[in-house]
């Protein structure tokens, strides 16, 4: 880390023709909605100067999307040299966590009994960071939810009918994950086999604790050699979450008809046309223990929320779905003695489009694509554009700065303060757009505002994602409905744009390109 702290400021990248390419609708939608998601907090907690900056950011988005004229440059007048707060000597202003590229595998299954659903999910993720580190995370999650719904059919006949349904569900999720942090690819390869064994052990312990206990007993009596992992996880995380969903569908189906099916004439073909939509909201709390520094074992609590709206359509056996999601959160990191090490604010948005093929076998209920007795399957692929924004301020373990950190939490709770909304709302203000996104705070500013200006970090990165997914299930009605399903999803992502907040410079701070966080594919394309 010492080498990174003494490194020169990142260079400004010369804009190339590639930067002028038209972005996809999903990308613009994600950017617009990301800024809109924090508009409420800006309006509530931001002073006048923040409101002006937020308006400027909206203008930049419209200008980039071709929906407006040119934007005025921000006020670029430098303050008096005597009032200028110099950068913190030797401080590393590069982002603490910027993902260049990554992959994630998710596998899950669920069992349904009447209106109750019990599920288990396992995800394995790899992230290559801008500082060269590799982060491996394994997270098994258990869930339970209850669903209530209603629907109706109309026009039921010999070979065609239509229907609509709406349902609502609420549930809880519990997870216990582990994370390994490697300095580089060579270190990861050295421990890769051990990490895979650790993941297998954790899976066994979670899925079948009885069998895991017997293996440990066999090791104790000497008839089995239980594998010992030399490297412990760098981070252990416990997740508790609640989730609510409202979903609806409507459609029309045509087939050989009930009578012809019973007579064995006409086969089991089905043609359907329909639409479906849903809205999901969830809140989670992650409690993590960080063992990265044996002399200072830190603990963090991350409070986050997500919301997603989706709309889909089916035609024959094909389906297409689009969704937009938002997320936000606050992470509070504390040192071993209880003092606050840093506070991080997070915001993001994603636009996603997918398409695939569905197959249903069995008797339809007429409500959506559900079946009373039979099975269903779906496979598909998709693409997504996401934007992630983070703002972090580090506090030294002095009485003055710890008092400022505690006062910040007392006054704003988990909501971002003005300096955070400044940085988030202006994530599109690159250096060649003109204008400083953060001005040097005055003498009457809050203490944390001055600490952030002098030593805070802020960054934003946009990623492309490619997704393959599938699901298979079966249902049977024996007095009450029983069902089971399995699903999987494979995701690859690459960062195509990254910005970071430069150190204090001539009375202000602005965003500059952060080339180190670009995916290797994008770096090669731009000749960097």
């Amino acid at each position: 880390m010492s080498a990174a702290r003494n490194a020169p400021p990142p260079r400004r990248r010369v804009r190339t023709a590639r930067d002028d390419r038209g972005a996809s609708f999903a990308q613009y939608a994600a950017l617009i909605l990301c800024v809109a998601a924090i508009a409420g907090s800006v309006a509530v907690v931001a002073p006048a100067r923040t409101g002006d900056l937020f308006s400027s950011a909206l203008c930049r988005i419209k200008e980039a999307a071709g929906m407006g004229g040119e934007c005025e440059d921000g006020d670029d007048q430098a303050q008096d040299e005597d009032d200028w707060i110099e950068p913190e000597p030797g401080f590393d202003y590069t982002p603490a966590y910027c993902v260049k590229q990554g992959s994630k595998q998710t596998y899950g299954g669920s069992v349904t009994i009447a209106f109750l659903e019990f599920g288990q999910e396992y995800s394995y993720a790899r992230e290559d960071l801008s500082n060269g580190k590799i982060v491996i995370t394994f997270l098994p999650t258990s869930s339970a939810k209850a669903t209530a719904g209603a629907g109706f059919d109309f026009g039921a006949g010999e070979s065609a009918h239509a229907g609509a349904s709406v349902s609502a569900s609420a549930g809880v999720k519990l997870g216990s994950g582990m994370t390994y942090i490697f300095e580089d690819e060579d270190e990861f390869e050295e421990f890769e086999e051990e990490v895979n064994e650790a993941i297998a052990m954790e899976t066994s312990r979670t899925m079948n604790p009885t069998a895991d206990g017997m293996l440990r007993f066999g090791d104790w009596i000497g008839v089995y050699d239980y594998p010992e992992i030399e490297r412990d996880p760098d981070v252990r995380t416990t997740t508790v979450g609640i989730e609510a969903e409202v979903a609806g569908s409507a459609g029309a189906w045509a087939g050989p008809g009930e009578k012809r099916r019973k007579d064995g004439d006409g086969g089991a073909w089905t043609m359907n046309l329909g639409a479906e939509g849903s809205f999901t909201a969830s809140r989670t709390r992650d409690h993590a223990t960080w063992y990265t520094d044996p002399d200072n074992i830190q603990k963090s609590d991350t409070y986050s929320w997500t919301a997603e709206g989706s709309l889909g359509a089916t035609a024959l056996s094909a389906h297409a779905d689009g969704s937009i999601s938002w997320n936000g959160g606050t992470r509070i990191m504390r040192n071993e003695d209880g003092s606050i090490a840093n506070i991080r604010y997070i915001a993001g948005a994603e636009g996603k489009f997918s398409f695939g093929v569905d197959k249903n076998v069995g008797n339809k209920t007429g409500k959506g694509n559900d079946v009373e007795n039979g099975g269903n399957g779906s496979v598909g692929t998709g693409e997504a554009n996401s934007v992630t924004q983070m703002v972090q301020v580090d506090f030294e373990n002095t009485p003055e700065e710890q008092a400022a950190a505690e006062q910040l939490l007392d006054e704003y709770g988990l909501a971002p303060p003005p300096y955070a909304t400044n940085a988030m709302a202006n994530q599109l203000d690159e250096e060649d757009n003109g204008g400083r996104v953060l001005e040097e705070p005055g003498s009457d500013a809050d203490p944390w505002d001055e600490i952030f200006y002098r030593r805070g970090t802020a960054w934003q990165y946009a990623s492309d994602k490619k997704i393959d997914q599938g699901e298979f299930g079966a249902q049977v009605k024996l007095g009450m409905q029983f069902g089971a399903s399995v699903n999987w999803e494979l995701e690859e992502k690459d960062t195509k744009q990254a910005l970071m907040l430069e150190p204090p410079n001539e009375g202000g701070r602005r965003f500059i390109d952060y080339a180190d966080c670009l995916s290797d594919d994008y770096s090669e394309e731009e000749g960097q």
Side-chain angles (χ1 to χ4, degrees):
M1 181 61 74
S2 60
R5 291 186 181 276
N6 294 326
R11 68 183 186 278
R12 301 171 186 255
R13 178 171 59 84
V14 177
R15 183 177 290 272
T16 64
R18 189 177 186 278
D19 296 309
D20 295 327
R21 296 180 185 176
S24 66
F25 169 78
Q27 177 183 353
Y28 287 136
L31 288 171
I32 293 172
L33 291 169
C34 186
V35 176
I38 62 172
S41 61
V42 173
V44 172
V45 305
R49 63 186 179 92
T50 306
D52 294 340
L53 291 170
F54 181 71
S55 299
S56 175
L58 291 178
C59 181
R60 303 292 180 195
I61 296 174
K62 293 180 179 180
E63 182 182 20
M67 297 184 292
E70 295 184 359
C71 299
E72 295 181 1
D73 289 341
D75 182 11
D76 201 25
Q77 296 179 357
Q79 294 189 0
D80 292 339
E81 187 174 344
D82 294 339
D83 298 332
W84 179 33
I85 300 177
E86 294 188 4
E88 190 80 5
F91 187 77
D92 183 13
Y93 290 91
T94 57
Y97 174 81
C98 193
V99 182
K100 293 179 57 175
Q101 54 206 30
S103 61
K104 184 177 181 180
Q105 305 174 28
T106 303
Y107 305 92
S110 63
V111 175
T112 302
I113 303 175
F115 59 89
L116 297 176
E117 180 180 305
F118 304 92
Q120 191 78 44
E121 184 178 273
Y122 305 88
S123 64
Y124 170 83
R126 167 177 170 156
E127 295 174 317
D128 292 25
L129 305 186
S130 56
N131 57 11
K133 294 184 179 182
I134 296 174
V135 179
I136 303 295
T137 301
F138 173 72
L139 178 63
T141 305
S142 301
S143 63
K145 71 177 182 179
T147 303
F152 61 91
D153 296 329
F154 57 92
E158 181 71 12
S159 61
H161 65 273
S165 67
V166 62
S167 64
S169 64
V172 296
K173 288 187 175 183
L174 300 175
S176 178
M178 54 186 183
T179 298
Y180 296 86
I181 303 175
F182 302 95
E183 291 298 323
D184 50 36
E185 183 73 30
D186 291 339
E187 186 182 11
F188 168 68
E189 292 178 354
E190 180 181 350
F191 287 93
E192 184 174 11
E193 184 175 347
E194 290 190 4
V195 170
N196 290 336
E197 289 182 1
I199 291 174
M201 289 170 57
E202 192 78 4
T203 303
S204 174
R205 184 185 67 81
T206 305
M207 292 184 62
N208 195 341
T210 302
D212 184 72
M214 296 191 64
L215 292 177
R216 293 183 180 273
F217 177 74
D219 179 71
W220 182 65
I221 63 177
V223 297
Y224 175 75
D225 187 15
Y226 197 88
E228 295 291 339
I229 305 302
E230 295 183 5
R231 181 182 177 117
D232 293 324
D234 294 292
V235 185
R236 281 194 173 273
T237 305
T238 300
T239 300
V240 179
I242 59 174
E243 182 179 83
E245 179 181 17
V246 177
S249 64
W253 299 270
E258 185 66 24
K259 182 177 182 301
R260 294 177 64 187
R261 280 196 297 269
K262 290 181 179 180
D263 296 340
D265 179 22
W269 63 271
T270 302
M271 180 179 70
N272 69 81
L273 298 171
E276 57 187 3
S278 66
F279 178 79
T280 304
S282 65
R283 296 189 65 180
T284 61
R285 177 189 176 185
D286 296 330
H287 178 75
T289 303
W290 299 69
Y291 302 96
T292 49
D293 182 0
D295 297 327
N296 182 23
I297 298 177
Q298 298 176 312
K299 295 183 182 295
S300 68
D301 286 289
T302 303
Y303 304 86
S304 57
W305 58 267
T306 60
E308 178 178 355
S310 66
L311 183 64
T314 59
L316 301 179
S317 295
H319 74 263
D321 303 277
S323 65
I324 296 178
S325 61
W326 305 264
N327 65 82
T330 298
R331 191 193 74 176
I332 304 169
M333 178 80 77
R334 292 184 180 271
N335 296 311
E336 193 169 15
D337 62 3
S339 61
I340 296 179
N342 58 67
I343 300 176
R344 178 183 297 177
Y345 301 97
I346 307 162
E350 179 175 282
K352 178 181 176 182
F353 175 77
S354 61
F355 58 91
V357 177
D358 299 325
K359 179 63 178 177
N360 296 313
V361 179
N363 300 329
K364 282 190 176 295
T365 65
K367 305 181 181 88
N369 286 325
D370 298 334
V371 294
E372 283 189 353
N373 298 288
N376 61 281
S378 174
V379 293
T381 185
E383 295 184 357
N385 298 112
S386 67
V387 175
T388 301
Q389 304 169 341
M390 296 188 184
V391 174
Q392 178 171 316
V393 57
D394 296 271
F395 295 94
E396 294 181 350
N397 199 358
T398 63
E400 294 79 13
E401 295 210 2
Q402 288 300 308
E406 296 292 354
Q407 184 183 358
L408 170 60
L409 294 178
D410 289 341
E411 292 196 17
Y412 290 98
L414 300 178
Y419 67 72
T421 54
N422 277 357
M424 288 180 177
N426 284 271
Q427 37 86 17
L428 293 182
D429 269 351
E430 296 187 58
E431 75 281 358
D432 51 352
N433 285 340
R436 294 185 296 270
V437 299
L438 286 179
E439 299 289 345
E440 179 182 340
S443 58
D444 59 343
D446 292 313
W448 56 80
D449 203 354
E450 186 270 333
I451 293 173
F452 172 73
Y453 178 80
R454 177 165 44 88
R455 202 169 56 243
T457 54
W459 63 101
Q460 172 254 326
Y461 57 96
S463 303
D464 286 334
K465 296 183 180 180
K466 296 186 181 298
I467 303 167
D468 292 317
Q469 55 193 4
E471 181 176 8
F472 291 95
Q475 302 83 33
V476 61
K477 190 169 186 178
L478 300 172
M480 66 175 62
Q481 194 77 25
F482 295 88
S485 66
V486 294
N487 61 82
W488 72 91
E489 182 172 287
L490 309 177
E491 175 186 292
E492 299 282 346
K493 64 179 179 181
D494 293 278
T495 295
K496 60 183 180 180
Q497 181 194 33
L499 304 174
M500 62 168 282
L501 198 61
E502 70 173 356
N505 183 16
E506 297 181 353
R509 300 183 65 179
R510 69 181 72 193
F511 278 101
I512 58 175
D513 279 85
Y514 183 40
D516 289 342
C517 194
L518 292 180
S519 164
D520 293 340
D521 292 340
Y522 281 93
S523 297
E524 291 173 2
E525 287 182 19
E526 297 192 0
Q528 297 182 359

